[in-house]
Amino acid sequence: MDIRVQEEAFDLGHEARGFAARQAGMGALVTFTGIVRDLEGDDLKAMEIEHYPGMTERAIEKIAEEALSRWNIGDILVIHRYGALEPDEMIMMVATSAPHRADAFQAAEFLMDFLKSRAPFWKKEVTGDGAGWVAAKDADEDALDRW
Amino acid sequence: MDVLYFAWVRERVGRPKDRIETGAATVRELVNELTQKEERYAAAFADLDALRVAVDQELSDFDAPLENVREVAFFPPMTGG
């Protein structure tokens, strides 16, 4: 398990290749990447991500441990950034490896659903009109029920 | 005890952290104590349904006991990913 909470950008290709190289006997590797999306007509200038140092790492570890116990997966990589990000920058990535793809896909989806609502990050959007905190969506909370 | 605030809770309180001496038995009692102290806390804690709480860095609830607790944090629902 490799959990990283960092301000710096990461290289998706480099991280995915490195993760793949560390696996043995795994037939499937899934990666997901979250990107700062430009808001239609809203002129997004920056996305500021705040987090709770200490709790963030522990919360992600707990989510990853749960995924490891539920599916037949080999390993998990989570990188999540904080600080000021610009549109089109990568916010975070998840990678899972498994002998077969169904486990790798499901574990990655599970990780994403829980990272969204159970890891202590808060996003603030800065637009030409000012700045505002992104509100949590009911759909994100509902997504946890399926697990 | 350290009391931490994040996101708009931090902005309403006006600082990221307080170190306080409290006899509050539960998180809810701590909230009531802070609310009575100053208007900015009352503004931050006006709607508890809109808040989440962590006790010693574990997601918890407002009825959680505070005995031997070192750190309580208040924040809005999380928006990671």
Side-chain angles (χ1 to χ4, degrees):
Chain A
M1 190 192 302
D2 186 357
I3 313 284
R4 283 179 255 160
V5 180
Q6 63 187 47
E7 192 161 10
E8 316 82 70
F10 58 88
D11 181 329
L12 174 64
H14 175 78
E15 296 298 344
R17 273 195 303 279
F19 182 76
R22 292 193 294 276
Q23 309 307 314
M26 296 292 142
L29 192 151
V30 164
T31 67
F32 170 86
T33 314
I35 296 167
V36 180
R37 187 171 35 131
D38 206 354
L39 301 169
E40 216 171 304
D42 249 358
D43 188 25
L44 184 75
K45 297 205 178 329
M47 171 87 84
E48 287 171 9
I49 301 176
E50 182 170 330
H51 79 118
Y52 183 169
M55 180 175 168
T56 312
E57 291 81 354
R58 284 171 56 169
I60 299 175
E61 262 169 43
K62 231 170 99 176
I63 295 166
E65 272 162 18
E66 178 71 22
L68 282 166
S69 74
R70 284 197 192 201
W71 289 279
N72 181 18
I73 47 177
D75 200 5
I76 290 172
L77 164 68
V78 178
I79 301 176
H80 202 304
R81 297 176 64 195
Y82 60 88
L85 279 72
E86 289 176 7
D88 300 331
E89 275 196 78
M90 290 179 190
I91 305 173
M92 55 89 59
M93 72 169 288
V94 154
T96 56
S97 66
H100 304 288
R101 72 175 186 277
D103 288 308
F105 272 120
Q106 281 191 30
E109 277 212 82
F110 171 89
L111 287 165
M112 284 315 304
D113 280 350
F114 277 82
L115 282 168
K116 249 191 146 39
S117 318
R118 291 292 181 273
F121 290 99
W122 300 275
K123 294 191 184 111
K124 191 181 206 178
E125 288 170 345
V126 184
T127 69
D129 298 330
W133 293 99
V134 175
K137 295 187 192 76
D138 289 341
D140 290 339
E141 193 63 33
D142 294 345
L144 304 185
D145 292 341
R146 66 179 169 136
W147 305 109
Chain B
M1 181 191 296
D2 287 331
V3 184
L4 280 63
Y5 316 101
F6 292 97
W8 57 256
V9 185
R10 170 179 54 72
E11 290 177 342
R12 287 190 195 173
V13 171
R15 59 170 78 136
K17 184 176 172 177
D18 279 314
R19 176 157 287 177
I20 60 168
E21 297 291 326
T22 176
T26 64
V27 173
R28 201 178 298 278
E29 282 186 34
L30 174 66
V31 168
N32 291 339
E33 197 179 297
L34 289 167
T35 301
Q36 282 158 26
K37 208 162 86 168
E38 279 179 63
E39 179 52 37
R40 55 205 177 101
Y41 293 100
F45 294 112
D47 179 12
L48 291 190
D49 287 340
L51 290 183
R52 301 291 178 267
V53 58
V55 172
D56 282 338
Q57 303 194 352
E58 293 278 350
L59 208 55
S60 190
D61 58 71
F62 288 88
D63 295 318
L66 291 182
E67 201 180 352
N68 298 322
V69 164
R70 287 162 33 186
E71 190 172 293
V72 176
F74 296 101
F75 42 78
M78 297 161 265
T79 51

